[in-house]
Amino acid sequence: MQEREHFHILVDGFSPEAEDIIQGLDAERAAIARCLHVGYTPILEQLNGFWNVHHSSLQDFFLKQALYANLEGPRSIRHRFIQEDVPFGIVPLVDLGRTVGSSTPISKALSELYRPHLQPYDRIEFSADSLAAMSKR
C-alpha cells in the first residue's frame, strides 16, 4: 500500500484543478436535483452560509477557515475519505443520475478510479421504483 507524508488535504492538496473537479461534482448534484424537482444549494454557498462568511472560491474558503485549512489528508488509499465518501457519496450519485437521466461523468470517473481499492460494501441502488416509493413517503 502506497503511503504519503503528512499534508493538509484542502490546502496542500487543493489546486485550481481540484476546485474544478469539486465544482463539476456540485454541478452534477444540482442537475440531479433539477431532475427530481428539489431545491439545491451549491457547495460554496452552503459553506459560506454555514460559517456566515463570503468567499469567492472554494480554495479561498478552505485557506481562510482554520478547521478546513488544518484537515489532514489521507496517507493511504484505505483512508475513510476514500473508503466512505466514494461508495456512499459518489457511487450512489452515479446510480441516481442514471435513474433520472442525468449525466454524471465526473462522479462516474471517480467511482471507476477508486473501485478496485474499495472494501466490499452493501450498495444503495436507485431505480425508478425505489424513487417512486421514496416520493410516496
Side-chain angles (χ1 to χ4, degrees):
M1 171 182 343
Q2 184 177 6
E3 292 197 16
R4 183 188 161 137
E5 304 246 348
H6 169 81
F7 74 105
H8 296 102
I9 191 168
L10 296 175
V11 176
D12 304 326
F14 200 85
S15 64
E17 294 81 11
E19 179 153 359
D20 288 345
I21 291 170
I22 291 174
Q23 293 289 9
L25 290 167
D26 198 48
E28 290 177 5
R29 288 190 295 266
I32 290 171
R34 281 191 301 277
C35 288
L36 294 170
H37 308 290
V38 296
Y40 183 77
T41 303
I43 186 76
L44 182 59
E45 189 177 330
Q46 289 177 42
L47 291 169
N48 277 327
F50 181 76
W51 292 100
N52 197 28
V53 294
H54 179 75
H55 296 287
S56 60
S57 70
L58 289 169
Q59 194 167 30
D60 184 50
F61 177 88
F62 293 137
L63 282 170
K64 293 181 179 165
Q65 294 299 118
L67 175 70
Y68 296 103
N70 295 318
L71 186 62
E72 285 195 39
R75 294 186 188 188
S76 82
I77 200 86
R78 297 285 179 219
H79 192 278
R80 72 171 191 84
F81 288 161
I82 296 166
Q83 295 299 314
E84 294 174 12
D85 291 358
V86 174
F88 300 108
I90 301 294
V91 173
L93 196 66
V94 173
D95 290 341
L96 186 55
R98 183 175 33 255
T99 300
V100 300
S102 186
S103 178
T104 56
I106 297 170
S107 297
K108 186 173 182 181
L110 287 172
S111 70
E112 292 303 317
L113 175 69
Y114 287 108
R115 189 174 308 278
H117 305 286
L118 298 176
Q119 302 293 325
Y121 62 92
D122 293 328
R123 276 185 70 185
I124 299 170
E125 293 193 39
F126 291 97
S127 67
D129 291 339
S130 66
L131 290 178
M134 283 187 254
S135 68
K136 293 177 183 177
R137 292 182 185 168

